[in-house]
Amino acid sequence: MPTITALETRDVRFPTSRFLDGSDAMNPDPDYSAAYLVLHTDERTPDGEPLAGYGLAFTIGRGNDVQTVAVAALAHHVVGLDLDDVCGDLGTFARRLTDDSQLRWLGPEKGVMHMAIGAVVNAAWDLASRRAGKPLWRFLADLSPAEIVACVDWRYLSDALTAEEALAMLEDAAVGREARRAHLEQHGYPAYTTSPGWLGYSDDKLATLCREAVADGYRIIKLKVGASLEDDVRRLGVARSAVGPDVRLAIDANQRWDVAEAVGWLSELERFDLAWIEEPTSPDDILAHAAIRAAVTVPVSTGEHTQNRTMFKQLMQARAVDLIQIDAARVGGVNENLAVLLLARKFSIPVFPHAGGVGLCEMVQHLAMADFVAISGSMEDRAIEYVDHLHDHFVDPVRVEGGRYRAPVAPGMGARMWQRSVDDHAFPDGPAWQAPAPVPAMPVPARVPAEGHALAEGAVV
Amino acid sequence: MPTITALETRDVRFPTSRFLDGSDAMNPDPDYSAAYLVLHTDERTPDGEPLAGYGLAFTIGRGNDVQTVAVAALAHHVVGLDLDDVCGDLGTFARRLTDDSQLRWLGPEKGVMHMAIGAVVNAAWDLASRRAGKPLWRFLADLSPAEIVACVDWRYLSDALTAEEALAMLEDAAVGREARRAHLEQHGYPAYTTSPGWLGYSDDKLATLCREAVADGYRIIKLKVGASLEDDVRRLGVARSAVGPDVRLAIDANQRWDVAEAVGWLSELERFDLAWIEEPTSPDDILAHAAIRAAVTVPVSTGEHTQNRTMFKQLMQARAVDLIQIDAARVGGVNENLAVLLLARKFSIPVFPHAGGVGLCEMVQHLAMADFVAISGSMEDRAIEYVDHLHDHFVDPVRVEGGRYRAPVAPGMGARMWQRSVDDHAFPDGPAWQAPAPVPAMPVPARVPAEGHALAEGAVV
């Protein structure tokens, strides 16, 4: 029988702090990093390549070693499994990891251990969709309603959503699935950009990047806020002048405020006609989000640090958010994100997936697209975050054109990195970390003619 | 200047699963473990011993390696620090760890990384109180109200409790501090026991252990529930018959239920006149606890897995609990537990500290006792959990007599283990893990004549 033969891990880090990319009020100097893993198998693809599954947990530097050890700690649950069993029942596969009675103590279902589970679960979905020869979004959208329901761990959800209700919602959503798939393949999925808005950038750079973003087709631009109210007012003025009245501006405080501080700050900023405030306070604080939402006119959101489906459920039950972010690498993988997408449909909450980082755009686009085709049926009232860096380290990088994500066509979930990128950025011994002076963050040529890339270029309508 | 010279870590595990000690509905086979650490210094005690600080994160087996690596990942924040700076400002010390902008991504303030921070913070408090020659409870109780307030990270708390309110509460509590200290030293602090109630035990063993517990002076006994309603009804009947009407019975479901399931189950069990239901559902689910509490007469509690002060705050704001547990090794150390104790006083919520495990009794007793002397001023309406195993691995084991914890007199927080216990139970290479057949869980003689122990015996009134 074909089996998973090994779980390989690598500690991969990019020295992004040298350029202030990704700087915000809570994260002044991130080195975008990945606890990267490969599920090796003894099967081959139709092309004769070794079949494998790729996944990662995203971190921002220190601690990526801890995250990598946590991924490796799951090997005993995975190595030796029958590929047919894994690919045929990814619900049972994911629950095997979250239900480990001893590992559960380290969360439960939160933090380092849960992100490790998410990385391994995502790698298994990558493996299953590669084996099926489909991009993950398509693999998911082709599952039956009952198969999707079987992927979800329903524990702790039944006071808001039951498996039976979810099945009924998914059966409703099955109507029009083929037309939505064709629409997606033709038109892509809306993107929004955070690239102009990092706190470390000058006003001139902010204005220039905002104008470029509008010219590139973006209809929403997000700025980081929360370090200085005076600076935020000035920077939002700069941005609003640069983009005109019709482009939406969102802001992100990265957990900076208490309730009263958030309300005071937002009262000064709401005149800029904001699309949303993201992470105004602790991601754990459901009641604080509800209190802030009740006091300001800016739509409230959170989610990139929301640890699991139980917290998302409460954010919706408490009417604490107007919209949410999901993140491909924070919760327990595809399965738990399916639960969150089902909750969002139940509560009519639009989803604006969090991305950027390393591989987050590549992965999360699949979830948003599967949601459009098979779950919510909506796309034009939402958008996937896009940040334009580090994509060239990936074998199947995202393609964003005219402010929209093009639907991926290469099989898998998108987390596979070039071997050279992995080796060059291995921490602490890779060449990128040996250089006495800053090295370019993207050593791979910008447009490498790779098989996945060429396939993607050719197949989208 | 005197400095912290090294942070040493050890992966220590006890093969408790061989005896079904600690079995419950979610944790059928725990191997009680510690990610153990020592903060070495270049200073010596008045006795000429090397001065060090001891701490641990408690886990239940697999994943203790991950937890140990997470503790080690904090070394760069600690090694080389001036001892006077550390011991003189433990608030700044703790915030240095929680505010690491890159490590924060791995939580924030939850799971593996937060427990690691808690272990290092507790080791620093152990070090500071050893240096002062005081048991931690006394060291804490001797701090001024302003010093206690300065230990707390007030971020995310101000919608429920401000530093100014806390200062006023502590100044109120300063009245009578000396009398309470004397009372505590004479009478100790109430304990309750969970030893009789593990799910793996037979009815006969349960009844025998219940009768012994009552004879030993316990007034509250806790039983694990949640695997089978029929079994729970029968076991509660056995326990109630064994203890009579005057001893309180509490139950612990270890996160087993959804809301409706909890309400249905508790409706069948409330006739046993229960002191509380602990962890009826996910520790993350504040709204579910509130819904359960509204539907049943059994007092609702949680806390041993509550990840940080922000979650405790919401449990109280939402009136989701009648009482809480705190745990010495789950949150960010002494500092964050001080925040929780202050919140509990503000909301008039009694605290029943979680213990058992490895070293949890030894550590958490200090927090409860400091709370009695300097914060809540209350003790007879609450009790510290006690489980009678693994104490002899500790240099200063707890002493529970007549159903009460005696106030420790040895300096420090209590987490220091015998070197032989550490070496014997080092995983995976220690002798306890090499034995072909089960080995006794307590290789150290039950009453070892050690300096710490002898000191404790001699000094309590």
Side-chain angles (χ1 to χ4, degrees):
Chain A
M1 77 188 185
T3 58
I4 296 176
T5 54
L7 187 163
E8 178 194 356
T9 56
R10 297 292 294 272
D11 179 346
V12 181
R13 307 191 195 189
F14 299 91
T16 47
S17 63
R18 296 175 189 169
F19 306 97
L20 288 187
D21 295 335
S23 58
D24 64 47
M26 292 294 260
N27 310 299
D29 58 348
D31 286 321
Y32 282 179
S33 303
Y36 184 68
L37 82 132
V38 184
L39 296 178
H40 294 284
T41 77
D42 53 12
E43 194 169 278
R44 291 187 173 266
T45 67
D47 300 342
E49 295 264 310
L51 177 69
Y54 303 85
L56 61 85
F58 171 63
T59 80
I60 61 172
R62 283 184 295 282
N64 202 52
D65 50 341
V66 179
Q67 190 59 60
T68 304
V69 170
V71 173
L74 294 162
H76 68 285
H77 281 296
V78 175
V79 175
L81 292 185
D82 184 336
L83 265 191
D84 295 327
D85 290 347
V86 171
C87 298
D89 186 358
L90 284 153
T92 297
F93 178 83
R95 278 188 292 273
R96 180 182 294 124
L97 303 184
T98 49
D99 288 355
D100 181 310
S101 67
Q102 295 186 350
L103 289 177
R104 223 183 127 69
W105 191 270
L106 302 186
E109 302 192 57
K110 61 181 65 75
V112 167
M113 206 63 236
H114 203 46
M115 292 198 287
I117 288 170
V120 174
V121 167
N122 284 344
W125 282 93
D126 181 74
L127 177 60
S129 50
R130 283 178 190 278
R131 199 175 192 223
K134 296 179 184 181
L136 178 71
W137 70 266
R138 176 79 190 264
F139 183 77
L140 282 170
D142 287 348
L143 294 177
S144 71
E147 286 171 325
I148 293 176
V149 167
C151 290
V152 171
D153 184 350
W154 291 98
R155 177 171 281 174
Y156 306 139
L157 295 182
S158 64
D159 55 326
L161 178 66
T162 65
E164 294 68 32
E165 282 178 281
L167 186 64
M169 288 191 326
L170 288 164
E171 282 168 353
D172 280 355
V175 178
R177 208 144 81 151
E178 284 310 304
R180 286 195 298 275
R181 198 184 82 196
H183 181 85
L184 175 71
E185 288 177 335
Q186 186 163 7
H187 299 288
Y189 194 109
Y192 79 87
T193 178
T194 310
S195 293
W198 302 110
L199 281 186
Y201 291 174
S202 70
D203 287 0
D204 280 353
K205 185 167 181 177
L206 169 62
T208 302
L209 291 174
C210 279
R211 281 189 292 268
E212 287 176 10
V214 175
D216 287 345
Y218 293 100
R219 309 304 296 159
I220 308 176
I221 296 172
K222 192 170 76 185
L223 271 65
K224 300 293 183 174
V225 299
S228 150
L229 178 56
E230 188 186 344
D231 286 352
D232 289 346
V233 169
R234 194 189 69 253
R235 292 171 67 252
L236 278 168
V238 168
R240 180 53 79 204
S241 297
V243 304
D246 297 333
V247 170
R248 300 174 73 198
L249 292 176
I251 56 172
D252 186 346
N254 291 90
Q255 315 168 23
R256 185 77 181 191
W257 301 315
D258 278 30
V259 172
E261 205 177 2
V263 171
W265 208 291
L266 292 169
S267 303
E268 297 294 322
L269 300 185
E270 61 191 3
R271 63 183 142 119
F272 293 103
D273 186 23
L274 300 171
W276 71 80
I277 168 67
E278 188 168 322
E279 290 203 311
T281 187
S282 165
D284 305 340
D285 205 333
I286 292 142
L287 302 180
H289 282 87
I292 294 166
R293 182 167 180 260
V296 301
T297 60
V298 185
V300 169
S301 78
T302 192
E304 77 179 69
H305 283 84
T306 301
Q307 65 208 33
N308 56 38
R309 67 196 179 286
T310 308
M311 296 297 280
F312 275 108
K313 179 192 72 169
Q314 292 177 85
L315 286 166
M316 298 182 206
Q317 288 175 311
R319 305 281 163 195
V321 288
D322 295 276
L323 53 108
I324 58 167
Q325 286 76 47
I326 60 167
D327 183 286
R330 172 68 59 184
V331 301
V334 170
N335 305 65
E336 191 159 37
N337 268 318
L338 289 172
V340 176
L341 291 168
L342 288 163
L343 285 164
R345 164 149 183 162
K346 166 81 184 278
F347 286 88
S348 301
I349 297 284
V351 179
F352 288 74
H354 171 248
V358 176
L360 298 182
C361 298
E362 276 70 17
M363 293 191 289
V364 87
Q365 62 178 339
H366 291 277
L367 301 172
M369 291 178 190
D371 174 68
F372 168 64
V373 177
I375 302 176
S376 75
S378 297
M379 165 166 92
E380 296 307 330
D381 60 340
R382 48 198 78 194
I384 306 167
E385 186 169 20
Y386 180 63
V387 182
D388 185 14
H389 62 180
L390 303 177
H391 300 295
D392 290 311
H393 297 297
F394 288 85
V395 174
D396 302 308
V398 290
R399 291 181 312 137
V400 172
E401 293 164 13
R404 297 178 79 92
Y405 277 77
R406 303 294 299 272
V409 295
M413 191 175 182
R416 183 181 184 183
M417 296 175 70
W418 294 108
Q419 194 60 47
R420 183 180 153 192
S421 288
V422 172
D423 294 339
D424 281 356
H425 297 87
F427 186 86
D429 297 325
W433 293 98
Q434 302 306 315
V439 297
M442 300 184 192
V444 178
R447 296 259 104 185
V448 59
E451 84 276 7
H453 205 96
L455 180 63
E457 292 279 312
V460 170
V461 183
Chain B
M1 77 187 188
T3 59
I4 295 176
T5 53
L7 187 164
E8 178 194 354
T9 56
R10 297 292 295 273
D11 179 346
V12 181
R13 308 191 194 188
F14 300 90
T16 47
S17 64
R18 296 174 189 169
F19 305 96
L20 288 186
D21 293 336
S23 59
D24 63 48
M26 293 293 261
N27 310 299
D29 58 350
D31 286 321
Y32 283 179
S33 303
Y36 183 68
L37 82 131
V38 184
L39 296 178
H40 294 283
T41 77
D42 52 12
E43 195 169 279
R44 290 188 174 266
T45 67
D47 301 341
E49 295 265 309
L51 176 70
Y54 304 86
L56 62 84
F58 171 64
T59 81
I60 61 172
R62 284 184 295 281
N64 201 52
D65 50 340
V66 179
Q67 190 60 58
T68 304
V69 169
V71 173
L74 295 163
H76 68 286
H77 281 296
V78 175
V79 175
L81 292 185
D82 183 336
L83 265 191
D84 294 328
D85 289 348
V86 171
C87 298
D89 185 358
L90 284 154
T92 298
F93 177 84
R95 278 188 293 273
R96 179 182 292 123
L97 303 184
T98 49
D99 287 355
D100 181 310
S101 67
Q102 295 187 349
L103 290 177
R104 221 183 129 70
W105 190 271
L106 302 185
E109 301 191 59
K110 61 180 66 74
V112 167
M113 205 64 236
H114 203 47
M115 291 198 289
I117 288 170
V120 173
V121 167
N122 284 344
W125 281 94
D126 181 74
L127 176 60
S129 50
R130 284 178 191 278
R131 200 175 190 223
K134 297 179 183 180
L136 178 72
W137 71 267
R138 176 78 191 263
F139 183 77
L140 283 169
D142 287 348
L143 294 177
S144 71
E147 286 171 326
I148 292 176
V149 166
C151 290
V152 170
D153 184 350
W154 291 99
R155 177 170 281 175
Y156 306 141
L157 295 182
S158 63
D159 54 325
L161 178 65
T162 64
E164 294 69 31
E165 282 179 282
L167 186 64
M169 289 191 326
L170 288 164
E171 281 167 353
D172 279 356
V175 178
R177 211 144 80 151
E178 285 310 303
R180 286 196 297 275
R181 199 184 81 194
H183 181 86
L184 175 70
E185 287 178 334
Q186 186 163 7
H187 300 288
Y189 194 110
Y192 78 87
T193 178
T194 310
S195 294
W198 303 110
L199 281 185
Y201 291 172
S202 70
D203 288 359
D204 280 352
K205 185 168 183 177
L206 169 63
T208 302
L209 292 173
C210 280
R211 281 189 291 268
E212 288 176 8
V214 175
D216 287 344
Y218 294 99
R219 309 303 295 159
I220 308 175
I221 296 171
K222 192 170 76 184
L223 272 64
K224 300 294 184 174
V225 299
S228 149
L229 177 56
E230 189 185 343
D231 285 352
D232 289 346
V233 169
R234 194 191 68 254
R235 292 171 67 251
L236 278 168
V238 168
R240 181 53 78 202
S241 297
V243 303
D246 297 332
V247 170
R248 301 174 73 198
L249 292 176
I251 56 173
D252 186 346
N254 292 89
Q255 316 166 23
R256 185 76 182 193
W257 301 315
D258 279 29
V259 172
E261 205 178 1
V263 172
W265 208 291
L266 292 169
S267 302
E268 297 294 321
L269 301 185
E270 60 192 5
R271 64 185 140 117
F272 293 102
D273 186 21
L274 300 170
W276 71 80
I277 168 66
E278 186 168 323
E279 290 203 310
T281 187
S282 165
D284 305 339
D285 207 334
I286 291 143
L287 301 180
H289 281 87
I292 294 165
R293 181 167 181 260
V296 302
T297 60
V298 185
V300 169
S301 78
T302 192
E304 76 178 71
H305 283 85
T306 301
Q307 63 208 34
N308 56 38
R309 68 196 179 285
T310 308
M311 297 297 280
F312 275 109
K313 179 191 71 170
Q314 292 178 84
L315 285 166
M316 298 182 205
Q317 287 175 309
R319 305 280 162 195
V321 288
D322 295 276
L323 53 110
I324 58 167
Q325 285 76 48
I326 59 168
D327 183 288
R330 172 68 59 185
V331 301
V334 170
N335 305 63
E336 192 157 36
N337 268 317
L338 289 172
V340 176
L341 292 167
L342 288 164
L343 284 164
R345 164 150 182 164
K346 166 81 184 277
F347 285 88
S348 301
I349 297 284
V351 178
F352 288 74
H354 170 247
V358 177
L360 298 182
C361 298
E362 277 71 17
M363 293 191 289
V364 86
Q365 63 179 337
H366 291 276
L367 301 172
M369 293 177 188
D371 174 68
F372 168 64
V373 177
I375 302 177
S376 75
S378 295
M379 169 167 90
E380 296 307 330
D381 60 340
R382 47 199 77 194
I384 306 167
E385 187 169 21
Y386 179 65
V387 182
D388 185 15
H389 62 180
L390 303 177
H391 299 294
D392 289 312
H393 298 297
F394 289 85
V395 174
D396 302 308
V398 290
R399 291 181 313 136
V400 172
E401 294 166 13
R404 298 178 78 91
Y405 278 77
R406 304 295 297 272
V409 294
M413 191 173 182
R416 183 181 184 184
M417 297 176 71
W418 294 108
Q419 193 61 45
R420 183 180 153 191
S421 289
V422 173
D423 294 340
D424 280 356
H425 297 86
F427 186 86
D429 297 325
W433 293 98
Q434 302 305 315
V439 297
M442 301 185 194
V444 178
R447 298 258 105 189
V448 59
E451 84 276 8
H453 205 97
L455 180 63
E457 292 278 312
V460 170
V461 182

